[in-house]
Amino acid sequence: MEDKNKIIILAAIVAVIAIIGVLLFTGSLGSNGNKNMETTPFEMDFMTGKFTGNVKLVNDKEKFMHSYEDKQNSITYNISTVDNSTALMEIYELQGITNPDVRTFNGNDWNIYFTQAVPTNNTTNTDKPMNIIVCESQGQKQGYLIYMIIDGNSKLNATGKIYSEAYKDYVEPLLNSITLKESKNVPHVYEEFGLSQDEFNQQMDLVRQYKAGNTSVLEGAQ
C-alpha cells in the first residue's frame, strides 16, 4: 500500500504540471509597451476583477475554473477555486515552486510564485519555456488560484520576478482589482486528484515528511 501511495503522489504531480501545459493557448505575439493599455473586466461566481489588455474568455465549462486569453501578448489566465489551495501549493513545492513573494492587495493576502515549464503540446515549434506566475490566496472557507501562463515566444518581459513587466503591468493591477467571493459546493482539492479525503490526507502526510527531510518516503516512485 505504501508503494501505491508513492506512485499516486508522483502521478498526481505530473498530472498537475501537464494540465498547465494543456491549458496553454497560443496567440499572436505582442508587447505591452504602454502603461495606458485598455482593461477587460471579468466576473464569475467566486471572483470579480479586471485584466490589463484585451482579454477574452475561452473556457467556462467548469463553474469553478475559467480560462482567458490575451492573444496580443500570448498570455493565458487560468482562474479557479478549491477548498484548500494551501495543500495544493504544498504539492507544487515538490516540483520546486517555492519561496513565494507574499503581498496584500485589496484586503486579500496572496502568495505569488514564479516558475517555468516546457509546453507539453508544443504547437509553437520552440524550445523556449513558458513563464508561469501563480497567485494563491487561502481564505477561511476556500482558496483561490490564478495562473498567468506566458508563452515562450511572447515579447512580454517576465524575468526579474516582481520587477518584471509581466508582474508590474499585469499581475499587480489584476490582484489590486480583485474581489473574492465565497461559494457553495466548492471542489475539494482531493477530488482533483481522484482520491478520497482519507487517501489524500495520507498523501499529504508523505509530502510533509518528504519536505521535512525524510526523502525515503518517495524512493522507488517511478
Side-chain angles (χ1 to χ4, degrees):
M1 182 63 182
E2 184 175 331
D3 288 340
K4 179 181 177 182
N5 285 345
K6 294 174 184 176
I7 294 171
I8 290 174
I9 287 179
L10 186 63
I13 293 170
V14 171
V16 169
I17 300 302
I19 287 170
I20 292 176
V22 169
L23 289 174
L24 174 69
F25 293 87
T26 303
S28 60
L29 303 183
S31 177
N32 185 1
N34 119 36
K35 307 297 182 183
N36 299 312
M37 280 190 65
E38 65 181 303
T39 58
T40 304
F42 67 89
E43 183 172 0
M44 56 191 78
D45 288 346
F46 57 92
M47 183 188 297
T48 63
K50 184 169 57 178
F51 295 111
T52 297
N54 183 7
V55 181
K56 303 293 186 182
L57 176 67
V58 293
N59 189 345
D60 63 348
K61 293 181 180 179
E62 299 292 335
K63 179 179 180 181
F64 297 111
M65 189 188 79
H66 292 184
S67 293
Y68 298 82
E69 182 182 13
D70 175 352
K71 284 189 175 181
Q72 181 181 5
N73 294 290
S74 296
I75 301 170
T76 296
Y77 297 92
N78 294 322
I79 302 178
S80 61
T81 184
V82 292
D83 64 332
N84 190 348
S85 58
T86 300
L88 189 59
M89 297 315 300
E90 286 188 73
I91 295 173
Y92 284 0
E93 287 177 7
L94 293 184
Q95 288 289 314
I97 304 179
T98 57
N99 301 319
D101 284 285
V102 182
R103 298 285 188 272
T104 300
F105 296 100
N106 201 21
N108 304 311
D109 294 329
W110 290 91
N111 295 308
I112 304 166
Y113 300 80
F114 299 84
T115 188
Q116 291 184 324
V118 177
T120 57
N121 58 335
N122 193 349
T123 59
T124 60
N125 297 318
T126 177
D127 294 327
K128 295 179 180 178
M130 302 177 293
N131 286 293
I132 303 172
I133 302 176
V134 183
C135 306
E136 179 265 334
S137 179
Q138 179 66 50
Q140 290 186 347
K141 296 183 179 180
Q142 68 192 92
Y144 305 84
L145 295 153
I146 300 172
Y147 302 85
M148 180 186 184
I149 306 168
I150 307 164
D151 185 85
N153 280 330
S154 175
K155 294 180 181 179
L156 183 65
N157 186 309
T159 60
K161 296 187 176 181
I162 63 172
Y163 302 105
S164 69
E165 178 186 10
Y167 177 81
K168 296 296 291 184
D169 293 350
Y170 290 80
V171 174
E172 195 169 74
L174 171 60
L175 296 182
N176 266 319
S177 75
I178 284 176
T179 298
L180 300 177
K181 300 187 286 186
E182 290 187 1
S183 310
K184 294 182 179 180
N185 303 316
V186 175
H188 297 292
V189 67
Y190 58 81
E191 295 173 339
E192 303 297 305
F193 295 101
L195 301 173
S196 70
Q197 185 169 7
D198 286 344
E199 289 171 333
F200 184 76
N201 290 340
Q202 292 173 10
Q203 302 302 305
M204 292 307 300
D205 180 61
L206 293 177
V207 167
R208 287 160 186 157
Q209 288 185 53
Y210 182 85
K211 289 170 59 181
N214 182 11
T215 57
S216 65
V217 297
L218 294 185
E219 287 179 0
Q222 302 293 334

